[in-house]
Amino acid sequence: MKNFAYGRVSSIEEAVNRATGDRNAVYIAGGTNLVDRLKAFLDEPTQLLDISRLEIEMKRIEPTLEGGFRIGALVTNTDLANHAEVRDQYPMLSRAILSGASQQIRNMATVGGNLMQRTRCPYYYDPAFACNKRQPDTGCPAINGVNRTHAILGASERCVAVNPSDMSVALAALEASVEVQGEQGRREIPLVDFHRLPGDTPDRDTNLEPGELIIAVRLPPIAFAPSGVYLKLRDRASYAFALVAVAAAVELSGDQIRNARIALGGVAPKPWRASAAETFLQGRAANQSTFEQAADIALQDAQPLSHNGFKVELSRRAIRRALAVSARGGGLV
Ligand code: SF4
């Protein structure tokens, strides 16, 4: 094991300055994924910068002037999921978070850390195997190996891993954005652009610049978000990652769909917004046939691997069901 330094930073500026000056420094807050990676020698930082006691602005959930919420990056998953107004106004977000991990992990895990968690591809965690994400240009054994849990959308010849976050799927459907601070100041990144597709550089998961720190997530007001649902399908009922997940919300005008949001999890290297299906739904009758066609459109570019063809049909069915439940006003799926 390589030695590393540990230090608690006392301001956002100090954190960013220290991380910008040392490309091998890593931020730590809840540590629920990072510590696993340290133990497996996947991350070998020179220093851990503990941000867990940073400014109070990173620990609050505050209403915004526009009518949405600004969620500090250090808010725990438990506190966000149980926030009364978030639960009422953005139920898909609350349910997505509660469907992930265990109560103990959610108590420690933070919003910023949830966005930064890395894939659970088993080859990535096992140094006995090559892995382009762990070490560029070494190969991807998953492509011709056991790939039942891997991607059917957005993968590349270098990596077919999926993003494991449930929270990010709901945030993609809700058109959230991520507020980050770097050497050059603050900027906002739309959630759908925060994570990257693997392409030729699967070792990079996000579009963060070196040293940039997540400060908050912004949730815009969405009038029909209370009808939103989160449907997660997995191998066991709890403490398992999604094989397929759907975050969906439908706004009706009479029997017609005025607006729809769909994002998929467990099927792509990033939270997968189904924009073409959303456009198709606008102005159509809210019925089973419409939902089936929307699901087909969402999956039209799917490229299953040798062991995960079942995810295509599972995704279709999950989309249809999530849309139908949301069109009835939402609730549990
Ligand atoms: Fe590594 Fe990605 Fe291949 Fe998994 S799918 S072994 S993370 S390169």
Side-chain angles (χ1 to χ4, degrees):
M1 185 184 127
K2 283 189 192 160
N3 288 336
F4 58 82
Y6 167 85
R8 190 172 281 152
V9 290
S10 54
S11 71
I12 292 171
E13 288 70 27
E14 183 194 348
V16 170
N17 285 341
R18 286 177 64 176
T20 306
D22 177 0
R23 296 286 169 97
N24 292 316
V26 174
Y27 297 126
I28 183 165
T32 53
N33 181 218
L34 178 61
V35 172
D36 284 345
R37 301 202 310 264
L38 291 172
K39 288 194 287 192
F41 307 110
L42 302 176
D43 289 46
E44 295 191 314
T46 47
Q47 49 177 332
L48 286 185
L49 300 173
D50 186 343
I51 58 170
S52 62
R53 300 204 185 166
L54 278 187
E55 278 89 338
I56 198 74
E57 77 156 304
M58 291 179 68
K59 295 180 175 169
R60 284 198 193 119
I61 302 173
E62 299 170 303
T64 61
L65 290 175
E66 310 85 62
F69 285 92
R70 182 177 183 275
I71 303 155
L74 292 175
V75 170
T76 66
N77 284 193
T78 296
D79 286 347
L80 178 55
N82 292 323
H83 187 274
E85 287 163 281
V86 170
R87 240 178 22 213
D88 289 347
Q89 295 175 38
Y90 303 92
M92 74 161 72
L93 177 58
S94 180
R95 292 198 177 111
I97 293 169
L98 292 176
S99 75
S102 66
Q103 183 64 62
Q104 291 88 341
I105 290 173
R106 292 193 296 269
N107 289 345
M108 289 298 293
T110 62
V111 166
N114 194 316
L115 293 174
M116 294 300 293
Q117 63 180 307
R118 305 202 76 182
T119 185
R120 264 52 174 201
C121 170
Y123 296 107
Y124 168 72
Y125 283 86
D126 189 340
F129 291 92
C131 171
N132 286 328
K133 187 180 282 296
R134 193 177 349 105
Q135 198 171 350
D137 301 324
T138 53
C140 174
I143 290 174
N144 295 311
V146 180
N147 48 41
R148 179 175 173 275
T149 59
H150 290 71
I152 56 172
L153 290 161
S156 76
E157 290 177 355
R158 305 250 175 160
C159 180
V160 293
V162 298
N163 182 293
S165 171
D166 292 293
M167 183 191 79
S168 300
V169 180
L171 291 177
L174 294 168
E175 295 193 334
S177 59
V178 186
E179 200 179 301
V180 304
Q181 181 158 331
E183 219 182 359
Q184 308 298 325
R186 287 206 186 178
R187 67 181 179 122
E188 227 169 285
I189 310 171
L191 194 283
V192 288
D193 297 328
F194 181 82
H195 298 98
R196 294 163 58 94
L197 293 179
D200 290 334
T201 53
D203 49 313
R204 283 192 65 193
D205 289 353
T206 74
N207 283 313
L208 285 175
E209 297 297 332
E212 276 189 321
L213 175 65
I214 302 172
I215 305 297
V217 169
R218 285 184 168 271
L219 267 183
I222 299 176
F224 61 102
S227 72
V229 300
Y230 190 74
L231 172 57
K232 178 173 180 177
L233 302 170
R234 46 190 160 172
D235 281 328
R236 56 173 189 260
S238 70
Y239 203 48
F241 294 100
L243 291 169
V244 168
V246 181
V250 174
E251 181 181 33
L252 293 182
S253 173
D255 290 336
Q256 271 198 342
I257 298 167
R258 185 184 287 164
N259 224 323
R261 299 284 171 74
I262 307 169
L264 306 178
V267 293
K270 59 186 277 184
W272 193 260
R273 183 86 180 265
S275 304
E278 293 175 1
T279 305
F280 168 82
L281 287 166
Q282 284 171 14
R284 297 191 186 258
N287 58 36
Q288 195 60 18
S289 165
T290 300
F291 299 148
E292 280 175 16
Q293 290 175 73
D296 287 346
I297 290 169
L299 273 303
Q300 65 192 355
D301 295 326
Q303 291 189 312
L305 302 161
S306 50
H307 297 145
N308 68 2
F310 72 96
K311 282 193 177 189
V312 179
E313 184 56 22
L314 196 62
S315 301
R316 275 201 196 99
R317 293 179 186 215
I319 293 170
R320 294 197 303 247
R321 185 166 152 205
L323 289 172
V325 174
S326 179
R328 291 200 297 268
L332 288 173
V333 278

